[in-house]
Amino acid sequence: QVQLQESGPGLVKPSQTLSLTCTVSGGSITTNYAYWSWIRQPPGKGLEWMGAIAYSGSTYYSPSLKSRTSISRDTSKNQFTLQLSSVTPEDTAVYYCARRELGIMGYSYWGQGTQVTVSS
């Protein structure tokens, strides 16, 4: 059973960089055709896909966040990381990591989510 767990600071100051890590167990992040995403949900709003890193290491970003977002991975630790720069209070949200597979609709596995608040 694949499990994902987000970790990182719960409070970030405006203009700083938000950094979150997703630790994966029960499966490798290099598993063929697996895509590892970051998704967030601001309070009172819907889910927003931020970007993903593929099993190959290729990265994909939401056009609206691309200029501020970076996703990387550490295969030795079976982790992937989100960095979101120049945060504002509008980046306050619950942040999730999730996995989907090529050709399959939806996400097969989700982390429990972590609350990040941007405030001075």
Side-chain angles (χ1 to χ4, degrees), residues 66-78:
K66 185 175 183 179
S67 63
R68 299 196 291 131
T69 307
S70 178
I71 297 175
S72 59
R73 68 180 185 176
D74 185 335
T75 56
S76 68
K77 296 181 180 179
N78 216 35

Side-chain angles (χ1 to χ4, degrees), residues 28-36 53-56 99-104:
S28 172
I29 61 172
T30 60
T31 296
N32 279 346
Y33 311 121
Y35 293 77
W36 307 88
I53 186 163
Y55 60 98
S56 62
R99 165 180 152 169
R100 61 176 291 268
E101 290 84 37
L102 182 66
I104 298 177

Side-chain angles (χ1 to χ4, degrees), residues 2-8 18-25 27-31 34-39 49-61 69-83 95-100 107 109-112 114:
V2 176
Q3 294 184 316
L4 294 82
Q5 178 67 56
E6 305 90 349
S7 60
L18 179 163
S19 184
L20 296 174
T21 296
C22 183
T23 301
V24 179
S25 59
S28 172
I29 61 172
T30 60
T31 296
Y35 293 77
W36 307 88
S37 292
W38 286 100
I39 299 163
W49 179 79
M50 302 180 68
I53 186 163
Y55 60 98
S56 62
S58 297
T59 52
Y60 308 86
Y61 299 106
T69 307
S70 178
I71 297 175
S72 59
R73 68 180 185 176
D74 185 335
T75 56
S76 68
K77 296 181 180 179
N78 216 35
Q79 296 175 333
F80 62 105
T81 299
L82 169 73
Q83 290 193 308
Y95 286 75
Y96 299 92
C97 55
R99 165 180 152 169
R100 61 176 291 268
Y107 293 88
Y109 303 98
W110 289 79
Q112 66 182 22
T114 187

Side-chain angles (χ1 to χ4, degrees), residues 7-13 18-20 91-95 114-119:
S7 60
L11 180 64
V12 182
K13 295 185 185 307
L18 179 163
S19 184
L20 296 174
D91 293 309
T92 294
V94 177
Y95 286 75
T114 187
Q115 172 70 47
V116 177
T117 300
V118 179
S119 175

